[in-house]
Amino acid sequence: MDRVALRGLKARGHHGVYPREREEGQTFIVDLVLGLDTRAAAADDDLAKTVHYGIVAEEVVAVVEGDPVDLIETLAERIAQACLKHDGVLEVEVCVHKPDAPITVPFDDVTVTITRSRV
């Protein structure tokens, strides 16, 4: 399976279990790895035979900016399902970063990574 990766998609969302997170929002960063077969697209040099990663990026940002959820696990699942709606995408790995998570000790990042497929 071939891979198309999008790294560092940024969007502001209002996800979290605490009222401050819901009210003020925060930046979320999303990394995606889409699994698909790119041979037909490469052979014909045809965008219609692969995934349009610009459209995927816009849809992922819309999910992050959309309806709030408590858990980034839920957010990752919603993103994965949006990606799998694209015909050529057979598998997706989604990593959601929450660098401003409400943690009381010093840290660099919090992430949740999931892999989903059509099967």
Side-chain angles (χ1 to χ4, degrees):
M1 193 171 322
D2 303 321
R3 304 276 185 228
V4 173
L6 291 90
R7 307 250 186 240
L9 296 171
K10 293 181 185 174
R12 189 159 186 85
H14 294 265
H15 312 289
V17 296
Y18 297 112
R20 190 183 110 250
E21 294 179 291
R22 292 294 184 104
E23 293 164 12
E24 297 175 16
Q26 59 192 292
T27 299
F28 293 84
I29 302 165
V30 178
D31 300 325
L32 300 174
V33 180
L34 307 171
L36 63 155
D37 186 343
T38 63
R39 287 178 287 196
D44 295 338
D45 199 27
D46 186 352
L47 176 60
K49 294 181 179 179
T50 188
V51 65
H52 191 307
Y53 51 79
I55 291 173
V56 172
E58 291 171 359
E59 292 172 354
V60 168
V61 166
V63 171
V64 175
E65 292 175 344
D67 293 335
V69 296
D70 288 345
L71 304 177
I72 58 175
E73 291 86 344
T74 306
L75 182 59
E77 185 67 35
R78 287 184 178 181
I79 292 167
Q81 294 309 313
C83 293
L84 289 171
K85 287 181 181 176
H86 291 266
D87 288 337
V89 178
L90 303 174
E91 181 179 273
V92 62
E93 179 182 281
V94 177
C95 180
V96 176
H97 300 255
K98 190 174 178 180
D100 298 320
I103 297 175
T104 60
V105 297
F107 73 102
D108 288 330
D109 198 6
V110 172
T111 66
V112 168
T113 302
I114 66 170
T115 302
R116 298 292 182 266
S117 65
R118 292 182 182 273
V119 181

